[in-house]
Structures are given as C-alpha cells and as structure tokens.
Amino acid sequence: MRLSDIALFRVLFSAQRLRLYVWLSLASQILIVVTGGLVRLTGSGLGCPTWPKCTDDSFTTTPEMGIHGFIEFANRTLTGVLAIIAIFTFVAVWKNPERTLRGLLAPAFGLPLGIVAQIVLGGLTVRTKLNPWLVGGHFIISAVMIAAASVLVWRALDRPQIFVPEFVYRLSWPIVLFGAITVVVGVLVTGAGPHSGDANSARNGLDLEVWQHYHSYPAYALLILVALQLVSLWRTDGGKVSLPTKISGLLLLVLVIQAVIGVVQARLGVPPLLVGVHMLGASVLVSLLTFNYLASTAK
C-alpha cells in the first residue's frame, strides 16, 4: 500500500488543508520574529547559554535558569513547531497536481531550508555570545521566509482577476527596493541599540542616532511611493475597492503606524515594548510588501 492511499494521509494533505497550512506558515513565521524579539528585549538571549543543548547536561531549561532560560527555550521549541508546519505545507504542495503551474513548489521548499538556516545561525549566535551581526541575520532570514510564505498564500488561494494601471505596475519594483532598504537599515539600527539580548553582549558599533535618520529616509520615500500608488488605484477602481487597493491601503496604514512608533521610540530612548511592536510591524510590512508586489504585477 502506498502512503498516499492511506485515508489519514489524504485528509492531512488535501487541497483544503493546503490553504490552512499556507496561512499557518505565514502566521508562524511572523510569530517567531515576535518571540525572538521577546528573547532579546527581556535579556534572555543567553538564557540557554549553549547549543544545541540548553545546558551542558540538559536539552531543556532547568528551574535554576529562571525566567530567562524558559523564554529562550520556548523560542527554540517554537522553531520545532515551525519546522512541522513547513514540512506539512511542503508535502501538501507536493501532492497538489497544479504545484508547478501555480509556482507553489519553490517557496514551499524554501521554508524548510530557511528553518535549517535559522537553526544553524541560532547555534552560531549563541556560541558567539550574541554577535549583533548574526542576530541581525536572524531577522533577514525571517524576512525572506515571511516573503516566501506570503507568496504561498497568494498562489494557493483563489483570487479575482486583477487589473492595475501602468503607473502602479511601474511603481512595483521601486516600492520593493525602498522597502528592502528600509528593513535592512532597520536591522542595523536595532544592532546599534541597547537591546542586545544580554547585558554583556556587544553591539555593532554604529551610531544609533545617526543611523536612525538613515533608517527614516528610505522609509519616508517608501511611504510617498505607496501613497501615490494608492491614489492611482483609487482613481482606477471607479467606486469599487479592488484587492490591490485594499492591499495598498493596508500597506500605507502599516507604514504610517511604523513611522509614528519609530519617532516616538527614538524620542523615548527606544523602550523595549515599542521596539517589540516595531519588530512586529516590520514583519507585517514585509508580508504586505510581498502581497503588494504580487498584486501590482499580476497578469
């Protein structure tokens, strides 16, 4: 008997389950950024001071390690949950006869590979006592995986036929470019800030105040481009709000919120709570940038 003939296998990896798995993949990729931020912002980055074990004698945290050990180990455990979701998503895509036609296979295969990369990088990060460049690399990989999961959601779900003005199509790549620059510079700013994950860990040596300005310039340019895009879409819709207009509107809203949070946290000395909210916003921003590009270039 083939594995695909087993009833439970057919149920777990049906087309309907694929829709669930792609959304779970996206939600979990964003969640791991939030929990990773919690590890850093609570000073729990070395709560488990070694890797792959949590201590020299135990794979799990111990009561003596306190809350920091629990937070760090919980984040490691969540990575295992992400791996299960990614594997289920890949198998469901593999069973889908339209996987090649709809472009599902490559991003589905990329998610497990990204998790492996995160695990390896996580081990190096702990062993180098939270090197800020490696910590920043964690978010960059997460951003790529959030984008891949967003592509999966877009391609796995049924969508209405989309038409966008030529002006919106031409804005698609500049928006992605300025979005990527904003995110990468934001990672550098975080590495220059006070929240290293451990009191004794080094920072990247960049001037925080100066790089906060460098972060704001592409972010404001991005905001302007998205606003122009939204106006063009709104005028084309003719009273009926299309899917690209909804995505562009959400993207603009998140950018405005991120800008406000960025200014406030800079004025208040980057308090941990606002930094965490800003990291969540950055994750959502990456997803919306991906959806926006896909909607702007849809044929």
Side-chain angles (χ1 to χ4, degrees), residues 135-174:
V135 173
H138 259 310
F139 184 86
I140 297 299
I141 294 177
S142 286
V144 173
M145 294 172 71
I146 289 170
S150 300
V151 171
L152 276 174
V153 169
W154 181 265
R155 292 177 177 174
L157 303 183
D158 296 327
R159 302 178 310 278
Q161 194 169 10
I162 293 174
F163 299 96
V164 297
E166 180 68 19
F167 179 68
V168 171
Y169 177 80
R170 291 183 180 277
L171 280 179
S172 59
W173 265 114

Side-chain angles (χ1 to χ4, degrees), residues 194-211:
H195 308 294
S196 62
D198 186 83
N200 297 318
S201 296
R203 309 312 291 133
N204 62 21
L206 301 177
D207 188 306
L208 177 61
E209 185 174 350
V210 171
W211 279 84

Side-chain angles (χ1 to χ4, degrees), residues 86-296:
I87 291 171
F88 271 53
T89 303
F90 177 73
V91 175
V93 167
W94 183 258
K95 278 190 78 276
N96 189 325
E98 297 181 357
R99 61 182 183 270
T100 303
L101 178 64
R102 301 179 67 174
L104 291 164
L105 194 57
F109 184 63
L111 290 180
L113 288 183
I115 291 172
V116 172
Q118 289 285 55
I119 291 172
V120 173
L121 184 60
L124 293 173
T125 301
V126 171
R127 290 183 176 274
T128 58
K129 305 302 179 184
L130 307 183
N131 180 292
W133 300 99
L134 296 182
V135 173
H138 259 310
F139 184 86
I140 297 299
I141 294 177
S142 286
V144 173
M145 294 172 71
I146 289 170
S150 300
V151 171
L152 276 174
V153 169
W154 181 265
R155 292 177 177 174
L157 303 183
D158 296 327
R159 302 178 310 278
Q161 194 169 10
I162 293 174
F163 299 96
V164 297
E166 180 68 19
F167 179 68
V168 171
Y169 177 80
R170 291 183 180 277
L171 280 179
S172 59
W173 265 114
I175 287 175
V176 169
L177 176 61
F178 278 96
I181 294 172
T182 300
V183 170
V184 171
V185 178
V187 171
L188 296 178
V189 171
T190 303
H195 308 294
S196 62
D198 186 83
N200 297 318
S201 296
R203 309 312 291 133
N204 62 21
L206 301 177
D207 188 306
L208 177 61
E209 185 174 350
V210 171
W211 279 84
Q212 282 175 334
H213 289 292
Y214 291 161
H215 179 46
S216 69
Y217 301 149
Y220 288 136
L222 175 62
L223 195 153
I224 292 171
L225 290 174
V226 173
L228 291 173
Q229 177 195 64
L230 182 58
V231 169
S232 178
L233 286 167
W234 189 270
R235 294 176 62 182
T236 305
D237 282 350
K240 184 179 180 181
V241 182
S242 65
L243 180 59
T245 303
K246 292 176 182 177
I247 294 172
S248 183
L250 284 173
L251 178 56
L252 182 63
L253 176 62
V254 170
L255 283 169
V256 171
I257 293 173
Q258 284 289 86
V260 172
I261 293 174
V263 171
V264 172
Q265 72 175 6
R267 297 286 179 86
L268 296 180
V270 288
L273 179 60
L274 285 182
V275 174
V277 175
H278 206 53
M279 291 180 67
L280 170 60
S283 302
V284 174
L285 178 64
V286 169
S287 181
L288 286 173
L289 283 168
T290 306
F291 285 132
N292 187 74
Y293 174 79
L294 292 169
S296 300

